[in-house]
Amino acid sequence: MRTSSQETRPSSSTCLACRRQTGFSVRSILLPAAALVSLQLIAMVLVAAERPAVFNTQPESIPRMSAADAVKGFSLPPGFNATVFAQEPDVQQPIAIATDSRGRLWVAENYTYSESGVNFHPSLLDQIVILEDADHDGRAEKRTVFWDQARKLTGLVPGLGGVYALCPPQLLFLADRDGDDRPDGPPEVLLDGWNDNVTRHTIVNGLKWGPDGWLYGRQGIQATSQVGRPGAAEHERIPINVGLWRFHPRTHRFEALCHGTTNPWGHDWDEHGQLFFINTVIGHLWHVVPGAYYRRMYGEHFNPHIYEVIEQTADHFHWDTREIWHEIRKLGVSDGTSKAGGGHAHSGLMIYLGDNWPSDYRNRVFAMNYHGRRINQDILERKGAGYVGKHAPDFMHVTDPWFRGIDLLTGPDGGVFVADWSDIGECHDHDGIHRTSGRIYKITHGTVRRPDGRDIRSLNENDLADLHRHPNEWQARQARLALQERFYNGRPMGEPRTKLIRWVQDKDPASLRLRALWGLHVTGGVPPELLLQLLDDESEALRVGSIQLLTDQTTPTVDVLERFTRMAQNDTSGLVLTFLASAMGKAPIADRWPLAAALSTRSTFAADPTLPLLTWYGIQPAILADPQKAMELAKGAGIPKIQQFTTRHLCEDWDSGRAHAANLLSWASNPSNGDVALSSIVLGISEALEGRRKAEAPPGWSELGRRLRDRASAGTQTRLRELDLLFGEGRAAEPLRKLALDPNQGAVERRHALRSLVQSRAEGTV
């Protein structure tokens, strides 16, 4: 049995240089991967330590580089420099990082990441550590353990007089209102219900402050959680399986923001407040619109009536798509995958808005590529009703085989911190766990302007308002958080709000005006008349921001919905229309129709990958509540998907749907209503009846079917013949088999036939 010396619990605050000189340490155990060691043996070894020792179960089959040698292997663009900010034993297992108002780095050290089933070790605990670089030379000199009693710690963020920590199944708040870097008392449980009974990964993770003052986090696909306040009944809880969520620190309101993907493990906002997140396996970059449903790696969304999902924002993949993703993680990164970006696994996302790197990098997306040992780079471009992420050269490559980048963020001087999990296994830790390794690097460009070292929370309110115009977004975000805290504590906000209102109304760049708008929002709210005025602003970013704030925690009023409807009819920005569709989901169901109708007429966006689906997601809950208005919506729509999905939803219950189908088909049979409308409605009926072998014909079908076939396109005629068969003698098994196996038939027809066969077998009729 091999051992190595590692420190596991220092005093509350430690000088790192002194700590290294004294060799302050306890013993930790390195176990062979296949070894079975009893908990009693582990306990015997732990008695000598004040805090239970962490131990490794992964043999060091590849020699570890020193951090100094590893950083020499960083390949960066000209002018950039990397330093070792901290290394083991001063930092281990850094699963998440954040900064505070003093610019110090807070690290979540997670030793229990793999703690489930046979891997469970009750002795292990996680901890929150503060690293401080007082002389701003890119290297931490001081380490403070803030809290060492966590389990499954997957995210943290300081703010509002303490630290928020994700320890599934709970979201905790550890107050430190006196600022002595020790919790004032036991953690307060703010939310619970996150499912942590999954194997290691794809659980709830990541905490960041949004520009709107909410706390944002992420949830993976393997855990279905029922989230609510402690003690909440089941019907009061909100389910989330995979996607992003947010929590308001004052009202304690929880919202599932969007749904889908696989394992979101990084998110950030651009200079206009648009939120993006990183993901694995099925695409890496996604633009967040509240209420959206994105593609899932597997499984079904909670809502069975969404019918179609939004694909990734990026127009490329970071692996050779001829390869299978799970083979990449086992066999290593091939030349083809390396050229594409390094692999499918991403962890950590930063949109650079600092003032140290060259301006060309501003507002670009940077993400850690886990298996590719690099930082990927995407360029965001507005397109249609949303964004597209364009491929850009990888920003950094690392030669150290232990490098496992997991998070990155900007600091007070515009430099960027990079957290390295430091391991030789792949991300699921099937081959053991190396807990006593971890590094933090810092990447800067040229000569770094050292910050003045002020604690932003110590500034007066006017100075905090002024920081909203600082070129480094970090300064503005910390100033806004400090103002939010003071407002919650009852401090008067008159003078800073006067400044912020003036800046919102100035003709400054949209990014600065938005900062002022968010500053107003977190210090008492934006005056309603100003928000309504901004709905006509020349900047689409200000219009979008106003839409979001008008529906932030309130149901939109009738007057606001009328304004939204006029915007939906006339606004030229697809992004504005997308957020109007998102806002529709917050309106009372009965009040959504005018806005839905206006959005559905925007035929120039009919082929857009986002707007038609967001419009459908918003109006879908109202369809069966008022079928007459739903049919009017379908007839007036200029977007085929709205016609198709509305028809499908109305007809899925065929007992009541027969009459709706007859109504819509009769309207569509009029040549003046166009071939596209006819195709969409027939397709909707056909999809609603998938899996059935026989169904009663809608009223007047004999004459109606003949009229429809006379003017239908070839593809629609095929569907109409299928409906004829379904409404007549029924779909016989043998013709269905032939249709399903006929390569000359269309994919839709073959799929329908196959589903009918499957349904028939389930019913025992074939």
Side-chain angles (χ1 to χ4, degrees), residues 228-338:
R229 301 186 188 192
E234 185 175 351
H235 71 275
E236 298 174 308
R237 294 179 174 272
I238 295 176
I240 184 168
N241 174 252
V242 59
L244 267 68
W245 52 268
R246 67 176 189 168
F247 168 80
H248 196 276
R250 196 179 201 197
T251 65
H252 287 201
R253 178 171 177 158
F254 176 84
E255 294 180 359
L257 199 65
C258 61
H259 306 270
T261 71
T262 307
N263 188 23
W265 205 283
H267 65 279
D268 202 0
W269 291 260
D270 74 358
E271 63 183 356
H272 291 151
Q274 293 301 307
L275 176 57
F276 297 82
F277 70 93
I278 208 73
N279 181 61
T280 64
V281 182
I282 60 170
H284 63 280
L285 182 64
W286 306 75
H287 173 222
V288 174
V289 182
Y293 291 88
Y294 303 111
R295 181 184 170 192
R296 296 172 56 97
M297 181 182 174
Y298 56 80
E300 301 294 332
H301 285 290
F302 295 139
N303 184 347
H305 305 296
I306 60 171
Y307 302 143
E308 191 174 321
V309 294
I310 298 171
E311 297 290 343
Q312 73 158 339
T313 301
D315 64 358
H316 59 286
F317 294 93
H318 285 152
W319 72 91
D320 187 335
T321 54
R322 295 170 297 181
E323 299 178 348
I324 302 174
W325 69 268
H326 55 76
E327 293 301 319
I328 295 171
R329 86 179 194 214
K330 294 177 183 177
L331 303 178
V333 177
S334 67
D335 288 343
T337 287
S338 184

Side-chain angles (χ1 to χ4, degrees), residues 498-646:
T498 299
K499 278 187 176 183
L500 295 170
I501 288 173
R502 184 175 74 249
W503 291 336
V504 170
Q505 296 172 323
D506 281 348
K507 297 300 180 182
D508 288 326
S511 58
L512 294 181
R513 298 176 64 201
L514 279 165
R515 286 182 183 178
L517 188 70
W518 298 322
L520 287 172
H521 179 67
V522 302
T523 57
V526 186
E529 62 276 10
L530 178 55
L531 280 177
L532 293 174
Q533 174 187 332
L534 291 173
L535 293 178
D536 295 320
D537 196 87
E538 62 182 16
S539 166
E540 71 169 3
L542 268 296
R543 300 200 299 278
V544 167
S546 300
I547 292 167
Q548 291 179 285
L549 295 187
L550 280 165
T551 57
D552 184 62
Q553 290 200 66
T554 59
T555 300
T557 64
V558 172
D559 290 344
V560 168
L561 285 173
E562 288 178 355
R563 286 291 301 275
F564 285 176
T565 300
R566 292 200 297 273
M567 292 178 74
Q569 294 166 339
N570 302 313
D571 204 296
T572 58
S573 165
L575 190 66
V576 169
L577 299 179
T578 288
F579 277 86
L580 288 171
S582 172
M584 177 169 53
K586 294 195 172 184
I589 286 178
D591 296 339
R592 298 182 187 185
W593 295 104
L595 180 53
L599 290 167
S600 298
T601 63
R602 302 303 297 266
S603 58
T604 54
F605 293 95
D608 189 87
T610 302
L611 181 61
L613 297 179
L614 258 298
T615 302
W616 172 246
Y617 302 155
I619 196 57
Q620 177 271 320
I623 296 297
L624 298 184
D626 197 331
Q628 189 59 43
K629 285 186 177 178
M631 286 188 286
E632 293 172 5
L633 177 73
K635 294 173 184 178
I639 296 178
K641 275 187 170 58
I642 300 300
Q643 294 176 317
Q644 172 191 342
F645 295 160
T646 302

